[in-house]
Amino acid sequence: MKPSEVGLAYDQITHRWLSDCFDLSNGIDAHKKALTFLSHSSTGLDVGCGCTGRIIELMQASGLTPEGLDVSSEMIRLSRSKYPAVQFHHADICQFEFTKMYDFISAWDSLWHIPLSSQRYVMTKLVNALNPGGVLLFSFGGT
């Protein structure tokens, strides 16, 4: 699937992330550990942020000013309504142009959706968007 098709598919299943069955603890321990490696905390980006806000809230609790990015317009709409002070980008990470650097970037449960031919490019782009001493946390794998 192309990222635009992934976004449309997620628009149709957003309700799953809002149900009581969704495991909000997924990835939290890994994020807490990764955040301990930061030498300073200023900016954070959640790639594939979804609509739960669990990573956004964790970044805020760690002193980061978070931003979110997602290819699903519905996920972004819900996130913006829940966190009006947070900047959210409705974009495909393969096409997204970074305008700033980040201290922490999370790409939890999101990068496996991008085409295999784009994965090296996107990983390089994410690493290059880190400030010196910044931390990138990502997960890969199939579902």
Side-chain angles (χ1 to χ4, degrees):
M1 290 176 73
K2 296 177 184 173
S4 59
E5 295 168 327
V6 171
L8 292 173
Y10 271 82
D11 288 348
Q12 302 302 311
I13 60 172
T14 301
H15 62 279
R16 291 184 181 183
W17 281 260
L18 302 173
S19 77
D20 292 336
C21 296
F22 184 78
D23 182 7
L24 292 172
S25 68
N26 176 28
I28 295 300
D29 287 342
H31 280 80
K32 286 179 179 178
K33 178 69 173 176
L35 286 163
T36 66
F37 292 105
L38 287 175
S39 58
H40 62 282
S41 299
S42 179
T43 57
L45 177 66
D46 184 4
V47 176
C49 63
C51 63
T52 67
R54 70 190 196 279
I55 306 304
I56 295 291
E57 290 176 4
L58 188 57
M59 282 194 255
Q60 288 174 325
S62 298
L64 292 162
T65 299
E67 294 180 15
L69 183 145
D70 206 291
V71 71
S72 165
S73 61
E74 184 62 9
M75 295 281 195
I76 291 294
R77 184 189 70 77
L78 291 167
S79 293
R80 285 178 176 153
S81 68
K82 189 172 182 179
Y83 303 98
V86 174
Q87 183 177 12
F88 289 96
H89 309 276
H90 176 224
D92 167 5
I93 188 59
C94 298
Q95 304 299 321
F96 184 70
E97 297 288 332
F98 286 101
T99 59
K100 63 171 27 168
M101 305 290 279
Y102 297 91
D103 297 310
F104 183 77
I105 298 176
S106 168
W108 193 261
D109 288 352
S110 60
L111 297 182
W112 64 55
H113 294 296
I114 62 174
L116 183 59
S117 61
S118 299
Q119 289 181 4
R120 179 182 292 227
Y121 168 74
V122 169
M123 289 301 295
T124 301
K125 180 181 357 183
L126 293 173
V127 169
N128 289 338
L130 288 171
N131 284 320
V135 174
L136 169 63
L137 177 65
F138 61 93
S139 60
F140 267 103
T143 54

